[in-house]
Each structure stands twice: as C-alpha cells, then as structure tokens.
Amino acid sequence: MSCNPSFGGIGKGHLVREVDALDGLCARICDQSGVHYKVLNKRKGPAVWGLRAQIDRKLYKANMQKEILQTPFLTVCEASVEDLLLTEPEAGSPGKCCVSGVILGDGRRVHAGSVILTTGTFLRGLILIGLEAYPAGRMGDQPAIGLAQTLEKLGFTVGRLKTGTPPRLLKDSIDFSVMARQQADDPPVPFSFLSEAVWIKPEHQLLCYQTHTNPKVEQLIRDNLHLNNHIKETTKGPRYCPSLESKVLRFPNRVHQLWLEPEGLDSSVIYPQGMSLTLPSEIQEELVTHIRGLEKAKIVQPGYGVQYDFLDPRQLSASLESRLVQRLFFAGQINGTTGYEEAAAQGIIAGINAGLRVKGKPPFIVSRTEGYIGVMIDDLTTLGTDEPYRMFTSRVEFRMSLRPDNADRRLTFRGYTEAGCVSQKRYDQASLMNAMLEEGIEALKSIKFSCTKWAQLIPEATISTNRSSLLRK
C-alpha cells in the first residue's frame, strides 16, 4: 500500500466486493488486516452503501505476500522491467506486433504467452516537493524510463497525469483530545463473501479523528504558491481527491476537513487524509502547526507530488488487451485511473483475460449492466480520460440492482463457468446462498392476505384498502 492505508469507500467498496466475487485477494486480506471498519453512506439505501476500512500497512503486506507466495504454480521474480519482447503479429487479430515476454533490468528475458503491465506512477515518474523535482515512481524507488520509451515508440498515445500524498505525522506529537472522534462500526462488516467476521474484535478497533483547516492555513498556502511547481503545472491531477493547495484555490475562504487515520496497531505514524501537500518541506512543517490538535505535530515524511505517464485507454478493448500490440494487457494507473480499488478491478479482469488469451478462449467481459467493473472499463475504453478516473455510484446507470451485497450472485457463477477463476469453495458457498435466497423469495410470494389483513399485521404501514382486495408481499 504505497499511499493511504485504507480500502473501499463509496463506489470503491462496490469494486472490492466485485473483485472478491471473482475470487480476487484484496477483500480477504483486508478482512485479515483492518483496524477500523466502517460502512459509509448509511443514511441512504443499501445500493449505495460504501464499505471502507483502515488497514494495518504491515499486516496487509505480510498477509498478502504470504498468500501470493503460497499460490500453487506461481513464480515470483523481483526485478524491474525495462523492455518488451516482440514478434510478428498473429493473423486475424488487430495489432502491428505481438508481445512474447519482457526484458528485465539485469538483462534476463522472461517469455510469456501474455503480458500485463501495471506500472502505477512509475512510467517516467517525477517527484516534486516545492521547486525541487527528481525522477522517481514513489519516494525511494526509481522510475521506469526504458519501458515508457518502448511504449511510445510502438505508437501508443501517451498522456501525463499527477497525484500527491500528504505528510506523515508522528502519532505521539498530536493532541487528539481536541479533535472529533470517529468510532468504527460494531460489529464490523467484512469485505469478503467468504469471511464470517473480520479478524479484529470490535472493541479493539482503532479510532480515527477529525480536524479542520482555518484561514491561517489558507493564507500560508496562498503566500507560498510561487514555491510550488506541482500546483502550477498544467498536468491534470485528481479532481475528487485534490491536494490541499488545489482545494484552497478551487474553494477559497472555506474550512476543509482533515481525517487523521492510523497506519497500524503498533505504528507511530498517522496519515492525515485530505492534507496532500507539495509545498517545500519547511513550509509544510509550519502549515501543520496552524491546525487544531497539530500545534506540536512532527512530520515523519513530507508530502510530495508525483507526475507520470499514462496511455489513452481507448487503445484497449473491453478485455483490457491492447489494440496495437497483441497479447499485451494494461491495468491500473497506466490506464488513467486512481486508487487501489480501481487498479484491483482492472487487474483481475486483465489477469483473467490474459490467461484466456493463452488458452485460445473468448474474453471475459463484464458489461455496464452487470457490475461497477463493467462501468469503469466501458468508460475508460470508449470515452477515455484526461484526469485520474475515480469510481462513483453516480457513474452507474443500474446502481439500484448493482449492490455490494449481490456481487456474488452477479459475477461468481460467470467467473466459475466462463473464466475458471473461482474456487470450488466459493462456488459452493455462492450456490448455497443463492438457493436460500430463491427459497425465501418463493416463500414470500406464496403469502397472500387481503389489504385489511395486511393493515392489521403492519399497522405502521400506510396500506390502501380501496385499490385491490389482495396485496402480495
């Protein structure tokens, strides 16, 4: 988890449930690693509830690596990919050439029937803090330059996007007593359909805290905008998760919420959600002290901005295979999206289809009517994007039926029969749940009373006795 230690949210929680329905890992690992679970949007109907959790960063990494390394027939090789191995195109499919593997940074060649690129912010990545800029995909990691050049030479339309991350704060230097407390849900709702409960007891969940900016913070940002190259760049950043500088410019004279979120049970670091900054580090240190509860806060790592290349996703089919290079698939921020959940959803579809491509089987496509995954991929591959794409319930035309609670009924059976990506255990559980639901529906349909009788049974409901002599429930 390279940025915020959280998963899910409104719209994003739907994606996590759909990834889980296709037997993806992230939901199960979140249920084994969360420290604060909360369902957002509960004041509205269940169709738009957003499952969200604060995650213990170390636990998530350990649990995910354990699961990956124990996966049968999977070989993990840690290395940088510098170039692609290309061959002549296959007849009958679009594309000027066909990928047959990758070339690693140390010169080794890895041959493959399909290749998936999930480059994140590493394609010609550039980190910016104040007026300083240096090549990096994220703090401490080198960017992917050779791969970016190869993709450009192959004729892909390349764009530039940016994002940012907040300064990390030392937990013991913060005065939480003056901040609003946010309790976790009791009981916590798991992400995965396979989880009966999450790993942590309700009473052991950690608190989150809320504080706000003020006019002093806004003025300090305005006085130092000339020291911030990132905010002055024409490269577009995330509209729905903007930097604090962008919020000040876009919404002047307003108070902005800041959420202080723990990075783990035994972590001394706090992640200030909503405080993404790219000002010089000394200005960030001064700015933090003007915020209520953070007057004595110490910065562990300054916030910074990242600029990176992405490829126009309209160059992909709905299976996420490139139209220019056969058997080459893309997923995540290379397609112009932002967020773990969007990347995971694309990753599982690209992974499924890369495997099907090798087997010579038809692609596995999720339509807009079947899932949030389908909406996102259709938006990207038909409309493209010129800003980091984020999933929202408002993007989904059929959101009343595409609920987080029925993702298994929508996708698990297709994943089992068409893609072969769903385990027997998950298929059996989904089949049992489906049979129970069908039985319950039939039982409800069989109950018939007169309107007068229904009015007696449910006195708090308004039931007209004039429209019909029978009301089915």
Side-chain angles (χ1 to χ4, degrees):
M1 306 185 76
S2 57
C3 191
N4 58 318
S6 67
F7 245 92
I10 299 171
K12 291 171 173 280
H14 289 69
L15 290 175
V16 178
R17 274 285 176 90
E18 291 181 1
V19 169
D20 182 67
L22 292 170
D23 232 351
L25 281 178
C26 60
R28 278 179 279 161
I29 304 302
C30 284
D31 291 343
Q32 299 168 14
S33 314
V35 294
H36 178 110
Y37 296 86
K38 195 167 190 68
V39 179
L40 307 181
N41 231 17
K42 283 294 288 287
R43 288 181 294 179
K44 297 184 179 179
V48 292
W49 289 355
L51 279 71
R52 189 180 187 274
Q54 288 301 124
I55 307 297
D56 186 304
R57 197 186 291 276
K58 287 195 326 188
L59 264 180
Y60 186 90
K61 180 180 179 180
N63 289 330
M64 181 61 82
Q65 287 186 343
K66 179 181 177 182
E67 187 79 29
I68 290 172
L69 294 175
Q70 289 180 349
T71 301
F73 311 113
L74 177 65
T75 301
V76 178
C77 175
E78 185 176 355
S80 64
V81 173
E82 291 298 321
D83 209 343
L84 300 175
L85 292 171
L86 301 170
T87 61
E88 291 298 313
E90 300 169 341
S93 298
K96 61 173 68 175
C97 55
C98 181
V99 71
S100 60
V102 297
I103 302 174
L104 304 182
D106 58 9
R108 284 180 294 167
R109 297 185 171 211
V110 180
H111 296 274
S114 292
V115 172
I116 309 167
L117 294 183
T118 58
T119 55
T121 58
F122 281 74
L123 280 184
R124 276 195 281 247
L126 190 70
I127 280 183
L128 296 98
I129 304 177
L131 298 177
E132 298 178 0
Y134 55 92
R138 60 172 170 249
M139 188 72 79
D141 292 315
Q142 291 299 309
I145 303 297
L147 189 58
Q149 293 172 343
T150 294
L151 293 171
E152 201 165 38
K153 289 176 184 176
L154 285 169
F156 286 100
T157 302
V158 179
R160 196 82 173 154
L161 293 175
K162 66 182 179 182
T163 187
T165 192
R168 307 307 199 267
L169 307 177
L170 185 63
K171 180 180 179 180
D172 292 341
S173 67
I174 298 172
D175 181 7
F176 294 106
S177 65
V178 298
M179 300 181 186
R181 293 153 55 108
Q182 184 190 50
Q183 301 281 351
D185 285 348
D186 184 3
V189 178
F191 276 105
S192 177
F193 290 102
L194 294 182
S195 301
E196 294 183 5
V198 300
W199 77 286
I200 194 170
K201 293 181 178 179
E203 62 271 20
H204 293 163
Q205 295 183 91
L206 302 182
L207 294 170
C208 293
Y209 296 86
Q210 184 189 48
T211 187
H212 297 85
T213 63
N214 52 58
K216 286 184 179 179
V217 171
E218 179 170 344
Q219 191 58 51
L220 185 62
I221 289 174
R222 290 187 178 278
D223 291 345
N224 290 280
L225 286 175
H226 63 288
L227 300 175
N228 189 333
N229 274 341
H230 189 66
I231 200 68
K232 291 189 291 185
E233 290 282 350
T234 56
T235 304
K236 286 197 175 183
R239 191 196 324 180
Y240 304 105
C241 186
S243 66
L244 192 53
E245 299 100 324
S246 296
K247 286 189 278 192
V248 165
L249 291 174
R250 203 176 300 165
F251 308 104
N253 305 315
R254 292 192 187 182
V255 169
H256 301 284
Q257 294 181 355
L258 303 173
W259 295 97
L260 301 189
E261 302 171 339
E263 293 216 349
L265 287 173
D266 59 356
S267 175
S268 61
V269 178
I270 293 294
Y271 183 95
Q273 183 80 255
M275 200 199 290
S276 178
L277 289 169
T278 52
L279 289 164
S281 55
E282 63 273 15
I283 304 298
Q284 294 186 37
E285 291 175 357
E286 181 184 353
L287 182 150
V288 163
T289 62
H290 290 306
I291 297 171
R292 182 172 172 79
L294 304 182
E295 292 85 356
K296 298 180 180 180
K298 303 296 183 184
I299 292 180
V300 177
Q301 174 186 293
Y304 60 88
V306 186
Q307 297 181 7
Y308 57 95
D309 285 353
F310 82 105
L311 307 184
D312 187 338
R314 289 174 293 185
Q315 299 166 106
L316 306 176
S317 68
S319 69
L320 296 182
E321 182 178 4
S322 157
R323 298 183 190 277
L324 290 179
V325 179
Q326 296 169 357
R327 297 177 178 267
L328 181 62
F329 296 77
F330 299 133
Q333 285 173 290
I334 193 172
N335 291 337
T337 59
T338 178
Y340 304 138
E341 304 81 4
E342 288 86 349
Q346 293 169 74
I348 197 164
I349 296 300
I352 289 169
N353 284 314
L356 293 174
R357 186 77 161 84
V358 171
K359 292 183 176 182
K361 294 184 177 181
F364 181 81
I365 308 296
V366 179
S367 74
R368 298 187 73 94
T369 64
E370 291 178 297
Y372 276 55
I373 291 176
V375 171
M376 175 181 63
I377 292 176
D378 185 62
D379 282 348
L380 291 170
T381 57
T382 60
L383 303 176
T385 185
D386 61 357
E387 63 180 359
Y389 178 100
R390 178 173 177 168
M391 194 69 241
F392 287 110
T393 56
S394 58
R395 297 187 188 273
V396 184
E397 299 89 342
F398 300 96
R399 54 186 172 272
M400 293 299 289
S401 58
L402 304 182
R403 306 186 309 275
D405 58 58
N406 67 6
D408 55 342
R409 297 190 77 194
R410 293 184 276 115
L411 296 175
T412 297
F413 302 105
R414 281 199 62 204
Y416 182 82
T417 58
E418 298 175 34
C421 64
V422 172
S423 68
Q424 189 65 46
K425 177 184 177 182
R426 183 180 293 274
Y427 176 79
D428 290 343
Q429 177 169 317
S431 298
L432 177 62
M433 178 60 72
N434 194 53
M436 293 169 64
L437 286 170
E438 292 296 336
E439 184 180 344
I441 291 170
E442 289 303 314
L444 289 172
K445 287 181 177 179
S446 68
I447 300 173
K448 299 179 182 180
F449 293 119
S450 67
C451 291
T452 303
K453 180 65 174 179
W454 279 115
Q456 293 172 352
L457 292 171
I458 317 174
E460 63 272 18
T462 303
I463 298 175
S464 172
T465 58
N466 297 324
R467 293 182 182 177
S468 172
S469 60
L470 287 177
L471 178 67
R472 294 188 178 188
K473 184 66 175 179

